[in-house]
Amino acid sequence: MLSRYVKLLERGELVAFPTETVYGLGADAWNPSAIQKVFEQKGRPADNPLIVHISNRTMVDSFAQTVPPAAEKLMTHFWPGPLTLIFDKKPEVLDILTGGLDTVAIRWPRHPLSQELIAQAGALVAPSANSSGKPSPTKPKHVKEDFGKKFPVIAAGETDIGLESTVLDVSSEPFRIYRPGAISAEQISKVAGKKVERASQPSANTEARSPGTKYTHYSPDATVQWLKDDLDSQETLYLLHTQYDNLKAENIVHYKGNFREMAHELFDRFRQADFHGFHTVLIEPFSAEQLQKPLVRALQNRISKAVS
């Protein structure tokens, strides 16, 4: 099943494939011309580093200069899964991959097709398979919407989580989370036995230590805003998670506290808003109590970037 896609990757071409988070845009992690195609295909800024995707623990040692003991604990506990770790990189790791940084981001995805593909083709860079700035793809059709019907996609239905991985820098202490995801700082700290901080986000004029943190992301053509007033408009899609009794608009998606479902559907809802011609997406803000949950923090991060 995968032989066609493996051959494309070996020839330096791009292939979209499923992970448990979103669909990734795969290219040979040791081929600079293939990696350049990733940036060109996405319209991605060259200073936005990429994540290396692997299929076993041994592959880490080809990219990481050192692996701290606490990071070993995290890999054993959370991999394969939605956790990306940032290490000091070996000199031979391509600068185009790391955005010129002295660190490299690595993840072992959980999806069986991604594991099989990487086992056959070798380590792959794999940012989300969408045009930069647009909502990440959680279905094969999302990739086709951005890259065309003929673009090679290993189709495997909807992704499980729907939001990108947690990104954790283990190259120095204290460990820092640069992008929240399904795995929380509290979970990481408990396993690693280390303090974990949440890093501030880089500005347009500062260096990005992590993929997916520096630029506006995840935005549909419709304007995304936090819901402040009970505005009723047929040109607005509402995403709510508690009960708004006074809101009578027809275009309401109500999650009733099911944040896993909301995370799973968020990017697809953004794309649906554009498909149906909505001008605005209004999203109910989260309470301080709700933000204690890892997926809610991840939702807050993605929505805030779409708003900005």
Side-chain angles (χ1 to χ4, degrees), residues 84-285:
T84 295
L85 299 177
I86 298 176
F87 301 93
D88 289 324
K89 77 177 184 72
K90 286 189 168 179
E92 56 266 32
V93 176
L94 298 170
D95 285 342
I96 190 174
L97 187 161
T98 65
L101 299 175
D102 57 2
T103 54
V104 61
I106 304 175
R107 183 166 95 87
W108 180 352
R110 189 173 66 211
H111 197 290
L113 280 177
S114 64
Q115 293 186 30
E116 185 179 348
L117 180 70
I118 296 164
Q120 294 184 39
L124 303 174
V125 298
S128 55
N130 59 292
S131 298
S132 283
K134 293 297 183 182
S136 297
T138 58
K139 299 177 179 179
K141 71 174 185 177
H142 296 163
V143 182
K144 302 284 190 179
E145 286 171 359
D146 284 12
F147 296 158
K149 293 182 179 180
K150 294 184 178 180
F151 194 87
V153 182
I154 302 173
E158 292 184 65
T159 59
D160 179 26
I161 297 173
L163 300 178
E164 299 85 351
S165 61
T166 302
V167 177
L168 177 73
D169 191 342
V170 297
S171 65
S172 61
E173 293 192 19
F175 290 176
R176 287 183 174 87
I177 288 180
Y178 282 100
R179 183 178 70 190
I183 297 175
S184 70
E186 292 78 10
Q187 290 172 297
I188 291 167
S189 182
K190 183 177 180 180
V191 171
K194 297 283 186 180
K195 181 181 178 182
V196 177
E197 294 183 349
R198 296 184 182 92
S200 59
Q201 297 302 303
S203 69
N205 297 318
T206 59
E207 185 178 71
R209 296 282 293 177
S210 162
T213 58
K214 185 172 180 180
Y215 298 96
T216 300
H217 281 70
Y218 322 121
S219 300
D221 293 332
T223 299
V224 179
Q225 296 178 342
W226 294 107
L227 178 61
K228 296 180 180 179
D229 302 301
D230 294 351
L231 302 176
D232 189 347
S233 170
Q234 295 305 307
E235 297 180 340
T236 297
L237 174 64
Y238 297 85
L239 302 185
L240 309 178
H241 50 80
T242 58
Q243 189 63 48
Y244 262 70
D245 293 332
N246 297 328
L247 196 58
K248 305 301 182 183
E250 296 180 0
N251 312 308
I252 296 176
V253 181
H254 212 307
Y255 290 101
K256 298 182 180 179
N258 189 339
F259 297 113
R260 175 173 169 74
E261 183 181 2
M262 189 175 186
H264 178 73
E265 294 185 352
L266 180 68
F267 293 142
D268 187 45
R269 293 293 182 187
F270 282 177
R271 288 177 178 267
Q272 287 179 28
D274 288 343
F275 180 80
H276 292 292
F278 292 117
H279 290 178
T280 308
V281 180
L282 290 181
I283 304 175
E284 180 184 354

Side-chain angles (χ1 to χ4, degrees), residues 284-305:
E284 180 184 354
F286 304 109
S287 68
E289 181 180 0
Q290 290 165 340
L291 284 167
Q292 298 305 306
K293 299 179 180 181
L295 270 180
V296 178
R297 285 201 293 267
L299 279 164
Q300 171 88 1
N301 171 269
R302 305 314 190 273
I303 294 166
S304 294
K305 283 189 170 291

